[in-house]
Amino acid sequence: MSRELLIKLREQGGLSRPEFRQLLAAHEPGLQAEAAALATALREQHYGNRVFIRGLLEISNYCRQDCFYCGIRCSNRKVQRYRLSPEQILECCEMGYPLGFRTFVLQSGEDPGYSDELISDLVREIKLRHPDCAVTLSLGEKNFSAYKAFREAGADRYLLRHETADAAHFGRLHPLKQSLQNRMRCLQDLRSLGYQVGSGFMVGSPFQSPQTLAEDLYFLSEFKPEMVGIGPFLPHRDTVFANAKPGDMNLTLFLLSILRLMLPKVLLPATTALGSIAPEGREKGVLAGANVIMPNLSPPEARDKYMIYNNKLRTGAEGAEGLRLLAEKMRAIGCEIAVDRGDYPDA
Ligand code: 5AD
């Protein structure tokens, strides 16, 4: 019965909300294993054994937003704030290129200290120095003209998780001045500008329910993002949700498989949060259908300060040695790290 739902999801690219709820309610180890087998077969069909790497640059932890779950929310006065200079960011790219990185992801809080012009200039410079690389931005909610300027400067992709597709749930995770409506406006703007767009959500965020999760899956089945980032919610001690329980690894893995079945070509990272919650979390993610890993290329001082949750995975995958280790781990599960931009097929 539930296996039929997995097949139906694969054949139709979506399910009704009640069917998604039914599938989630049926989650147990046997079904999870079946979902993973179907998902990895699809991943192999579209991508072979190739896993794409993205060099993650955490360029600033200043943030004007106050998301209740996030360690770098503006009301957390304990954070040592930092902002990398364009020169420092370019240096990180210079270091990453010879290691095989062909995508650089510039991620930050919503930092008013970077003007739209500065970001645009930076994107232009990275593309000039590395014409064969993709630039992905993950800088939060901006207005249309900012997204347009970044795109015209050469940015290829943009990551902006919707966090939850249920407006009431969104309201319990964010202060009043943030809204699901504006988040959705941003995603539409990004799509209309021709970005490859990434969205996603945390698994096990406070007040999440099978209903809200079904809504997330339904939204993603309709929006069809080119990339989807999901990872377990992990509490941060200086946030509203300090004592909330972390998200479940197996539910995350099951959802990764569901996403692969639903969006067969999606670029699906085994996220840092997944790697942080369990040893070999990222390998397990790839074995559930993920095909992207995002090693951290930020300078070590920045990495320590970009604490969106406690006990964040701190691998040295940035160095040649660290990347060699990652490649070995991927080989051990039958995969190969690709030196490639790793675009969405036919993007
Ligand atoms: N646990 C897990 N993920 C988190 N994020 C923010 N805070 C946490 C947390 N405490 C995720 C959000 C955001 C992305 C950059 O990190 O989904 O979009």
Side-chain angles (χ1 to χ4, degrees):
M1 185 58 212
S2 317
R3 188 188 148 84
E4 273 76 90
L5 281 177
L6 294 174
I7 303 293
K8 186 171 181 189
L9 177 61
R10 186 184 63 183
E11 300 318 316
Q12 304 189 346
L15 295 172
S16 67
R17 292 174 174 93
E19 285 170 329
F20 274 128
R21 282 203 293 275
Q22 200 188 332
L23 183 57
L24 292 167
H27 179 210
E28 45 83 26
L31 187 67
Q32 187 181 322
E34 290 196 56
L38 294 169
T40 49
L42 267 183
R43 190 199 64 213
E44 278 161 26
Q45 186 184 322
H46 292 291
Y47 293 103
N49 68 346
R50 285 151 47 96
V51 169
F52 301 115
I53 50 170
R54 320 295 198 197
L56 180 63
L57 304 176
E58 296 162 332
I59 63 174
S60 161
N61 68 355
Y62 282 90
C63 193
R64 66 187 179 98
Q65 301 287 22
D66 209 17
C67 308
F68 298 153
Y69 45 84
C70 183
I72 63 168
R73 59 203 302 260
C74 64
S75 63
N76 184 5
R77 296 289 135 77
K78 293 190 189 162
V79 182
Q80 275 190 54
R81 304 286 168 172
Y82 75 90
R83 178 182 299 125
L84 301 185
S85 66
E87 293 70 33
Q88 283 176 300
I89 297 166
L90 290 164
E91 269 171 39
C92 293
C93 299
E94 296 297 336
M95 178 189 74
Y97 188 89
L99 296 177
F101 288 96
R102 295 297 178 268
T103 291
F104 298 111
V105 182
L106 276 45
Q107 186 162 76
S108 73
E110 291 190 17
D111 180 359
Y114 285 132
S115 65
D116 298 344
E117 201 185 353
L118 185 146
I119 295 289
S120 305
D121 289 345
L122 179 60
V123 170
R124 247 188 303 275
E125 188 61 30
I126 296 174
K127 297 289 286 193
L128 194 67
R129 295 194 190 185
H130 305 288
D132 55 339
C133 291
V135 171
T136 303
L137 299 177
S138 178
L139 310 174
E141 296 181 0
K142 306 271 172 188
N143 58 33
F144 182 84
S145 62
Y147 289 148
K148 183 160 184 280
F150 304 158
R151 179 85 183 116
E152 284 168 358
D156 301 276
R157 314 186 187 127
Y158 204 102
L159 305 176
L160 182 68
R161 292 185 177 179
H162 65 283
E163 310 298 356
T164 170
D166 179 291
H169 186 213
F170 194 96
R172 299 179 83 169
L173 299 178
H174 303 96
L176 266 179
K177 72 163 194 147
Q178 286 174 257
S179 71
L180 181 59
Q181 198 194 343
N182 194 52
R183 195 56 71 104
M184 293 297 173
R185 187 273 304 159
C186 291
L187 289 169
Q188 295 296 346
D189 283 356
L190 291 163
R191 163 126 325 147
S192 74
L193 287 162
Y195 284 95
Q196 296 171 50
V197 180
S199 199
F201 57 89
M202 294 176 285
V203 179
S205 61
F207 313 112
Q208 188 173 69
S209 67
Q211 277 72 18
T212 66
L213 267 181
E215 203 58 41
D216 289 320
L217 294 174
Y218 190 79
F219 162 67
L220 293 170
S221 74
E222 296 269 294
F223 186 71
K224 298 182 175 46
E226 284 78 17
M227 305 166 281
V228 176
I230 66 165
F233 161 75
L234 297 166
H236 185 293
R237 66 176 87 84
D238 303 312
T239 64
V240 178
F241 299 138
N243 300 313
K245 73 172 193 337
D248 182 72
M249 179 184 69
N250 281 311
L251 180 55
T252 309
L253 296 172
F254 186 49
L255 285 162
L256 283 171
S257 300
I258 288 176
L259 288 166
R260 171 65 62 204
L261 290 175
M262 184 164 102
L263 304 165
K265 300 182 194 173
V266 75
L267 291 156
L268 190 62
T271 53
T272 309
L274 183 57
S276 301
I277 200 172
E280 265 125 69
R282 292 186 302 181
E283 289 88 328
K284 291 189 170 97
V286 171
L287 291 171
N291 66 336
V292 172
I293 294 192
M294 300 170 68
N296 200 323
L297 281 184
S298 315
E301 319 81 71
R303 224 172 301 156
D304 292 335
K305 294 179 187 141
Y306 204 90
M307 271 298 160
I308 53 181
Y309 43 80
N310 294 129
N311 307 314
K312 192 174 126 198
L313 183 68
R314 218 179 158 299
T315 53
E318 66 291 350
E321 177 62 10
L323 204 63
R324 202 181 53 74
L325 278 171
L326 182 64
E328 231 166 67
K329 286 181 179 166
M330 289 299 116
R331 263 196 297 280
I333 58 169
C335 290
E336 220 44 77
I337 287 182
V339 177
D340 193 293
R341 279 171 53 122
D343 283 296
Y344 190 79
D346 43 69

mmCIF file with all atom_site columns, all heavy atoms in Angstrom, residues 7 16 63 66 78 89 119 133 163-164 172 188 206 213 233 244 283 328-329:
data_model
loop_
_atom_site.group_PDB
_atom_site.id
_atom_site.type_symbol
_atom_site.label_atom_id
_atom_site.label_alt_id
_atom_site.label_comp_id
_atom_site.label_asym_id
_atom_site.label_entity_id
_atom_site.label_seq_id
_atom_site.pdbx_PDB_ins_code
_atom_site.Cartn_x
_atom_site.Cartn_y
_atom_site.Cartn_z
_atom_site.occupancy
_atom_site.B_iso_or_equiv
_atom_site.pdbx_formal_charge
_atom_site.auth_seq_id
_atom_site.auth_comp_id
_atom_site.auth_asym_id
_atom_site.auth_atom_id
_atom_site.pdbx_PDB_model_num
ATOM 1   N N   . ILE A 1 7   ? 5.703  4.528  -5.624  1.00 0.00 ? 7   ILE A N   1
ATOM 2   C CA  . ILE A 1 7   ? 5.701  4.352  -7.082  1.00 0.00 ? 7   ILE A CA  1
ATOM 3   C C   . ILE A 1 7   ? 4.866  5.451  -7.745  1.00 0.00 ? 7   ILE A C   1
ATOM 4   O O   . ILE A 1 7   ? 5.278  6.068  -8.735  1.00 0.00 ? 7   ILE A O   1
ATOM 5   C CB  . ILE A 1 7   ? 5.130  2.956  -7.465  1.00 0.00 ? 7   ILE A CB  1
ATOM 6   C CG1 . ILE A 1 7   ? 5.922  1.836  -6.787  1.00 0.00 ? 7   ILE A CG1 1
ATOM 7   C CG2 . ILE A 1 7   ? 5.103  2.773  -8.982  1.00 0.00 ? 7   ILE A CG2 1
ATOM 8   C CD1 . ILE A 1 7   ? 7.353  1.671  -7.242  1.00 0.00 ? 7   ILE A CD1 1
ATOM 9   N N   . SER A 1 16  ? -1.322 13.963 -3.597  1.00 0.00 ? 16  SER A N   1
ATOM 10  C CA  . SER A 1 16  ? -2.233 14.913 -2.945  1.00 0.00 ? 16  SER A CA  1
ATOM 11  C C   . SER A 1 16  ? -1.749 15.114 -1.495  1.00 0.00 ? 16  SER A C   1
ATOM 12  O O   . SER A 1 16  ? -0.958 14.315 -0.988  1.00 0.00 ? 16  SER A O   1
ATOM 13  C CB  . SER A 1 16  ? -3.652 14.362 -2.928  1.00 0.00 ? 16  SER A CB  1
ATOM 14  O OG  . SER A 1 16  ? -3.708 13.232 -2.077  1.00 0.00 ? 16  SER A OG  1
ATOM 15  N N   . CYS A 1 63  ? 23.136 39.747 10.730  1.00 0.00 ? 63  CYS A N   1
ATOM 16  C CA  . CYS A 1 63  ? 21.796 39.467 10.215  1.00 0.00 ? 63  CYS A CA  1
ATOM 17  C C   . CYS A 1 63  ? 20.791 40.427 10.805  1.00 0.00 ? 63  CYS A C   1
ATOM 18  O O   . CYS A 1 63  ? 20.779 40.679 12.001  1.00 0.00 ? 63  CYS A O   1
ATOM 19  C CB  . CYS A 1 63  ? 21.376 38.029 10.517  1.00 0.00 ? 63  CYS A CB  1
ATOM 20  S SG  . CYS A 1 63  ? 19.906 37.560 9.569   1.00 0.00 ? 63  CYS A SG  1
ATOM 21  N N   . ASP A 1 66  ? 15.482 37.884 12.772  1.00 0.00 ? 66  ASP A N   1
ATOM 22  C CA  . ASP A 1 66  ? 15.507 37.361 14.142  1.00 0.00 ? 66  ASP A CA  1
ATOM 23  C C   . ASP A 1 66  ? 14.805 36.001 14.236  1.00 0.00 ? 66  ASP A C   1
ATOM 24  O O   . ASP A 1 66  ? 14.072 35.746 15.198  1.00 0.00 ? 66  ASP A O   1
ATOM 25  C CB  . ASP A 1 66  ? 14.832 38.390 15.072  1.00 0.00 ? 66  ASP A CB  1
ATOM 26  C CG  . ASP A 1 66  ? 15.401 38.317 16.484  1.00 0.00 ? 66  ASP A CG  1
ATOM 27  O OD1 . ASP A 1 66  ? 16.487 37.730 16.667  1.00 0.00 ? 66  ASP A OD1 1
ATOM 28  O OD2 . ASP A 1 66  ? 14.739 38.829 17.403  1.00 0.00 ? 66  ASP A OD2 1
ATOM 29  N N   . LYS A 1 78  ? 25.497 37.424 21.963  1.00 0.00 ? 78  LYS A N   1
ATOM 30  C CA  . LYS A 1 78  ? 26.739 36.691 22.270  1.00 0.00 ? 78  LYS A CA  1
ATOM 31  C C   . LYS A 1 78  ? 27.564 36.384 21.021  1.00 0.00 ? 78  LYS A C   1
ATOM 32  O O   . LYS A 1 78  ? 28.714 35.978 21.129  1.00 0.00 ? 78  LYS A O   1
ATOM 33  C CB  . LYS A 1 78  ? 26.391 35.374 22.973  1.00 0.00 ? 78  LYS A CB  1
ATOM 34  C CG  . LYS A 1 78  ? 25.786 35.580 24.350  1.00 0.00 ? 78  LYS A CG  1
ATOM 35  C CD  . LYS A 1 78  ? 25.698 34.248 25.079  1.00 0.00 ? 78  LYS A CD  1
ATOM 36  C CE  . LYS A 1 78  ? 24.897 34.420 26.374  1.00 0.00 ? 78  LYS A CE  1
ATOM 37  N NZ  . LYS A 1 78  ? 24.435 33.120 26.886  1.00 0.00 ? 78  LYS A NZ  1
ATOM 38  N N   . ILE A 1 89  ? 37.181 36.929 0.300   1.00 0.00 ? 89  ILE A N   1
ATOM 39  C CA  . ILE A 1 89  ? 36.278 36.000 -0.393  1.00 0.00 ? 89  ILE A CA  1
ATOM 40  C C   . ILE A 1 89  ? 36.934 35.488 -1.675  1.00 0.00 ? 89  ILE A C   1
ATOM 41  O O   . ILE A 1 89  ? 36.916 34.293 -1.971  1.00 0.00 ? 89  ILE A O   1
ATOM 42  C CB  . ILE A 1 89  ? 34.925 36.696 -0.673  1.00 0.00 ? 89  ILE A CB  1
ATOM 43  C CG1 . ILE A 1 89  ? 34.252 37.050 0.656   1.00 0.00 ? 89  ILE A CG1 1
ATOM 44  C CG2 . ILE A 1 89  ? 34.021 35.823 -1.530  1.00 0.00 ? 89  ILE A CG2 1
ATOM 45  C CD1 . ILE A 1 89  ? 33.088 38.033 0.550   1.00 0.00 ? 89  ILE A CD1 1
ATOM 46  N N   . ILE A 1 119 ? 27.969 43.370 -3.646  1.00 0.00 ? 119 ILE A N   1
ATOM 47  C CA  . ILE A 1 119 ? 27.753 41.944 -3.967  1.00 0.00 ? 119 ILE A CA  1
ATOM 48  C C   . ILE A 1 119 ? 27.822 41.734 -5.482  1.00 0.00 ? 119 ILE A C   1
ATOM 49  O O   . ILE A 1 119 ? 28.467 40.798 -5.961  1.00 0.00 ? 119 ILE A O   1
ATOM 50  C CB  . ILE A 1 119 ? 26.393 41.456 -3.415  1.00 0.00 ? 119 ILE A CB  1
ATOM 51  C CG1 . ILE A 1 119 ? 26.384 41.496 -1.869  1.00 0.00 ? 119 ILE A CG1 1
ATOM 52  C CG2 . ILE A 1 119 ? 26.051 40.057 -3.931  1.00 0.00 ? 119 ILE A CG2 1
ATOM 53  C CD1 . ILE A 1 119 ? 27.245 40.464 -1.188  1.00 0.00 ? 119 ILE A CD1 1
ATOM 54  N N   . CYS A 1 133 ? 33.204 28.584 -13.554 1.00 0.00 ? 133 CYS A N   1
ATOM 55  C CA  . CYS A 1 133 ? 32.561 28.255 -12.277 1.00 0.00 ? 133 CYS A CA  1
ATOM 56  C C   . CYS A 1 133 ? 31.171 28.873 -12.177 1.00 0.00 ? 133 CYS A C   1
ATOM 57  O O   . CYS A 1 133 ? 30.902 29.926 -12.743 1.00 0.00 ? 133 CYS A O   1
ATOM 58  C CB  . CYS A 1 133 ? 33.394 28.764 -11.101 1.00 0.00 ? 133 CYS A CB  1
ATOM 59  S SG  . CYS A 1 133 ? 34.943 27.864 -10.897 1.00 0.00 ? 133 CYS A SG  1
ATOM 60  N N   . GLU A 1 163 ? 11.421 27.267 4.475   1.00 0.00 ? 163 GLU A N   1
ATOM 61  C CA  . GLU A 1 163 ? 11.392 26.922 5.922   1.00 0.00 ? 163 GLU A CA  1
ATOM 62  C C   . GLU A 1 163 ? 10.152 26.144 6.336   1.00 0.00 ? 163 GLU A C   1
ATOM 63  O O   . GLU A 1 163 ? 10.251 25.160 7.045   1.00 0.00 ? 163 GLU A O   1
ATOM 64  C CB  . GLU A 1 163 ? 11.579 28.148 6.846   1.00 0.00 ? 163 GLU A CB  1
ATOM 65  C CG  . GLU A 1 163 ? 12.765 29.056 6.515   1.00 0.00 ? 163 GLU A CG  1
ATOM 66  C CD  . GLU A 1 163 ? 14.142 28.411 6.615   1.00 0.00 ? 163 GLU A CD  1
ATOM 67  O OE1 . GLU A 1 163 ? 14.253 27.245 7.027   1.00 0.00 ? 163 GLU A OE1 1
ATOM 68  O OE2 . GLU A 1 163 ? 15.126 29.089 6.252   1.00 0.00 ? 163 GLU A OE2 1
ATOM 69  N N   . THR A 1 164 ? 8.978  26.574 5.938   1.00 0.00 ? 164 THR A N   1
ATOM 70  C CA  . THR A 1 164 ? 7.739  25.807 6.085   1.00 0.00 ? 164 THR A CA  1
ATOM 71  C C   . THR A 1 164 ? 6.711  26.442 5.164   1.00 0.00 ? 164 THR A C   1
ATOM 72  O O   . THR A 1 164 ? 6.649  27.663 5.047   1.00 0.00 ? 164 THR A O   1
ATOM 73  C CB  . THR A 1 164 ? 7.190  25.795 7.527   1.00 0.00 ? 164 THR A CB  1
ATOM 74  O OG1 . THR A 1 164 ? 5.861  25.210 7.507   1.00 0.00 ? 164 THR A OG1 1
ATOM 75  C CG2 . THR A 1 164 ? 7.091  27.192 8.125   1.00 0.00 ? 164 THR A CG2 1
ATOM 76  N N   . ARG A 1 172 ? 5.122  30.845 13.697  1.00 0.00 ? 172 ARG A N   1
ATOM 77  C CA  . ARG A 1 172 ? 5.629  30.399 15.000  1.00 0.00 ? 172 ARG A CA  1
ATOM 78  C C   . ARG A 1 172 ? 7.143  30.260 15.018  1.00 0.00 ? 172 ARG A C   1
ATOM 79  O O   . ARG A 1 172 ? 7.736  30.038 16.072  1.00 0.00 ? 172 ARG A O   1
ATOM 80  C CB  . ARG A 1 172 ? 4.974  29.069 15.376  1.00 0.00 ? 172 ARG A CB  1
ATOM 81  C CG  . ARG A 1 172 ? 3.459  29.181 15.493  1.00 0.00 ? 172 ARG A CG  1
ATOM 82  C CD  . ARG A 1 172 ? 2.817  27.862 15.852  1.00 0.00 ? 172 ARG A CD  1
ATOM 83  N NE  . ARG A 1 172 ? 2.866  27.647 17.307  1.00 0.00 ? 172 ARG A NE  1
ATOM 84  C CZ  . ARG A 1 172 ? 2.187  26.681 17.933  1.00 0.00 ? 172 ARG A CZ  1
ATOM 85  N NH1 . ARG A 1 172 ? 1.435  25.841 17.237  1.00 0.00 ? 172 ARG A NH1 1
ATOM 86  N NH2 . ARG A 1 172 ? 2.273  26.544 19.238  1.00 0.00 ? 172 ARG A NH2 1
ATOM 87  N N   . GLN A 1 188 ? 9.539  33.407 -6.288  1.00 0.00 ? 188 GLN A N   1
ATOM 88  C CA  . GLN A 1 188 ? 8.983  33.674 -7.622  1.00 0.00 ? 188 GLN A CA  1
ATOM 89  C C   . GLN A 1 188 ? 9.869  34.651 -8.393  1.00 0.00 ? 188 GLN A C   1
ATOM 90  O O   . GLN A 1 188 ? 10.132 34.457 -9.585  1.00 0.00 ? 188 GLN A O   1
ATOM 91  C CB  . GLN A 1 188 ? 7.557  34.255 -7.521  1.00 0.00 ? 188 GLN A CB  1
ATOM 92  C CG  . GLN A 1 188 ? 6.512  33.309 -6.930  1.00 0.00 ? 188 GLN A CG  1
ATOM 93  C CD  . GLN A 1 188 ? 6.266  32.057 -7.782  1.00 0.00 ? 188 GLN A CD  1
ATOM 94  O OE1 . GLN A 1 188 ? 6.679  31.980 -8.948  1.00 0.00 ? 188 GLN A OE1 1
ATOM 95  N NE2 . GLN A 1 188 ? 5.598  31.061 -7.188  1.00 0.00 ? 188 GLN A NE2 1
ATOM 96  N N   . PRO A 1 206 ? 10.503 23.117 15.576  1.00 0.00 ? 206 PRO A N   1
ATOM 97  C CA  . PRO A 1 206 ? 9.428  23.179 16.556  1.00 0.00 ? 206 PRO A CA  1
ATOM 98  C C   . PRO A 1 206 ? 8.073  23.446 15.882  1.00 0.00 ? 206 PRO A C   1
ATOM 99  O O   . PRO A 1 206 ? 8.003  24.231 14.932  1.00 0.00 ? 206 PRO A O   1
ATOM 100 C CB  . PRO A 1 206 ? 9.846  24.353 17.456  1.00 0.00 ? 206 PRO A CB  1
ATOM 101 C CG  . PRO A 1 206 ? 11.350 24.342 17.369  1.00 0.00 ? 206 PRO A CG  1
ATOM 102 C CD  . PRO A 1 206 ? 11.649 23.968 15.948  1.00 0.00 ? 206 PRO A CD  1
ATOM 103 N N   . LEU A 1 213 ? 4.434  19.187 7.175   1.00 0.00 ? 213 LEU A N   1
ATOM 104 C CA  . LEU A 1 213 ? 5.391  18.511 6.287   1.00 0.00 ? 213 LEU A CA  1
ATOM 105 C C   . LEU A 1 213 ? 4.743  18.142 4.953   1.00 0.00 ? 213 LEU A C   1
ATOM 106 O O   . LEU A 1 213 ? 5.376  18.279 3.886   1.00 0.00 ? 213 LEU A O   1
ATOM 107 C CB  . LEU A 1 213 ? 5.918  17.237 6.943   1.00 0.00 ? 213 LEU A CB  1
ATOM 108 C CG  . LEU A 1 213 ? 7.217  17.345 7.737   1.00 0.00 ? 213 LEU A CG  1
ATOM 109 C CD1 . LEU A 1 213 ? 7.594  15.970 8.280   1.00 0.00 ? 213 LEU A CD1 1
ATOM 110 C CD2 . LEU A 1 213 ? 8.351  17.907 6.875   1.00 0.00 ? 213 LEU A CD2 1
ATOM 111 N N   . PHE A 1 233 ? 16.551 19.983 12.145  1.00 0.00 ? 233 PHE A N   1
ATOM 112 C CA  . PHE A 1 233 ? 16.644 21.125 13.060  1.00 0.00 ? 233 PHE A CA  1
ATOM 113 C C   . PHE A 1 233 ? 17.574 20.727 14.203  1.00 0.00 ? 233 PHE A C   1
ATOM 114 O O   . PHE A 1 233 ? 17.487 19.615 14.728  1.00 0.00 ? 233 PHE A O   1
ATOM 115 C CB  . PHE A 1 233 ? 15.258 21.476 13.611  1.00 0.00 ? 233 PHE A CB  1
ATOM 116 C CG  . PHE A 1 233 ? 15.336 22.307 14.874  1.00 0.00 ? 233 PHE A CG  1
ATOM 117 C CD1 . PHE A 1 233 ? 15.672 23.652 14.813  1.00 0.00 ? 233 PHE A CD1 1
ATOM 118 C CD2 . PHE A 1 233 ? 15.116 21.722 16.121  1.00 0.00 ? 233 PHE A CD2 1
ATOM 119 C CE1 . PHE A 1 233 ? 15.780 24.406 15.982  1.00 0.00 ? 233 PHE A CE1 1
ATOM 120 C CE2 . PHE A 1 233 ? 15.218 22.477 17.291  1.00 0.00 ? 233 PHE A CE2 1
ATOM 121 C CZ  . PHE A 1 233 ? 15.553 23.816 17.214  1.00 0.00 ? 233 PHE A CZ  1
ATOM 122 N N   . ALA A 1 244 ? 14.419 22.842 22.647  1.00 0.00 ? 244 ALA A N   1
ATOM 123 C CA  . ALA A 1 244 ? 13.604 22.007 21.746  1.00 0.00 ? 244 ALA A CA  1
ATOM 124 C C   . ALA A 1 244 ? 14.410 20.779 21.339  1.00 0.00 ? 244 ALA A C   1
ATOM 125 O O   . ALA A 1 244 ? 15.634 20.800 21.340  1.00 0.00 ? 244 ALA A O   1
ATOM 126 C CB  . ALA A 1 244 ? 13.213 22.818 20.515  1.00 0.00 ? 244 ALA A CB  1
ATOM 127 N N   . GLU A 1 283 ? 27.149 10.569 4.242   1.00 0.00 ? 283 GLU A N   1
ATOM 128 C CA  . GLU A 1 283 ? 27.175 9.344  3.428   1.00 0.00 ? 283 GLU A CA  1
ATOM 129 C C   . GLU A 1 283 ? 25.778 8.715  3.395   1.00 0.00 ? 283 GLU A C   1
ATOM 130 O O   . GLU A 1 283 ? 25.297 8.273  2.350   1.00 0.00 ? 283 GLU A O   1
ATOM 131 C CB  . GLU A 1 283 ? 28.175 8.330  4.003   1.00 0.00 ? 283 GLU A CB  1
ATOM 132 C CG  . GLU A 1 283 ? 29.639 8.716  3.822   1.00 0.00 ? 283 GLU A CG  1
ATOM 133 C CD  . GLU A 1 283 ? 30.174 9.586  4.954   1.00 0.00 ? 283 GLU A CD  1
ATOM 134 O OE1 . GLU A 1 283 ? 29.396 10.384 5.544   1.00 0.00 ? 283 GLU A OE1 1
ATOM 135 O OE2 . GLU A 1 283 ? 31.361 9.483  5.259   1.00 0.00 ? 283 GLU A OE2 1
ATOM 136 N N   . GLU A 1 328 ? 37.469 9.698  -0.562  1.00 0.00 ? 328 GLU A N   1
ATOM 137 C CA  . GLU A 1 328 ? 37.601 8.303  -0.138  1.00 0.00 ? 328 GLU A CA  1
ATOM 138 C C   . GLU A 1 328 ? 36.278 7.786  0.433   1.00 0.00 ? 328 GLU A C   1
ATOM 139 O O   . GLU A 1 328 ? 35.852 6.666  0.135   1.00 0.00 ? 328 GLU A O   1
ATOM 140 C CB  . GLU A 1 328 ? 38.661 8.232  0.962   1.00 0.00 ? 328 GLU A CB  1
ATOM 141 C CG  . GLU A 1 328 ? 39.732 7.198  0.752   1.00 0.00 ? 328 GLU A CG  1
ATOM 142 C CD  . GLU A 1 328 ? 40.890 7.462  1.706   1.00 0.00 ? 328 GLU A CD  1
ATOM 143 O OE1 . GLU A 1 328 ? 40.687 7.305  2.928   1.00 0.00 ? 328 GLU A OE1 1
ATOM 144 O OE2 . GLU A 1 328 ? 41.978 7.852  1.224   1.00 0.00 ? 328 GLU A OE2 1
ATOM 145 N N   . LYS A 1 329 ? 35.650 8.623  1.258   1.00 0.00 ? 329 LYS A N   1
ATOM 146 C CA  . LYS A 1 329 ? 34.369 8.221  1.860   1.00 0.00 ? 329 LYS A CA  1
ATOM 147 C C   . LYS A 1 329 ? 33.310 8.008  0.795   1.00 0.00 ? 329 LYS A C   1
ATOM 148 O O   . LYS A 1 329 ? 32.474 7.107  0.901   1.00 0.00 ? 329 LYS A O   1
ATOM 149 C CB  . LYS A 1 329 ? 33.885 9.290  2.843   1.00 0.00 ? 329 LYS A CB  1
ATOM 150 C CG  . LYS A 1 329 ? 34.678 9.300  4.137   1.00 0.00 ? 329 LYS A CG  1
ATOM 151 C CD  . LYS A 1 329 ? 34.157 10.359 5.077   1.00 0.00 ? 329 LYS A CD  1
ATOM 152 C CE  . LYS A 1 329 ? 34.924 10.355 6.391   1.00 0.00 ? 329 LYS A CE  1
ATOM 153 N NZ  . LYS A 1 329 ? 34.655 11.576 7.162   1.00 0.00 ? 329 LYS A NZ  1
#
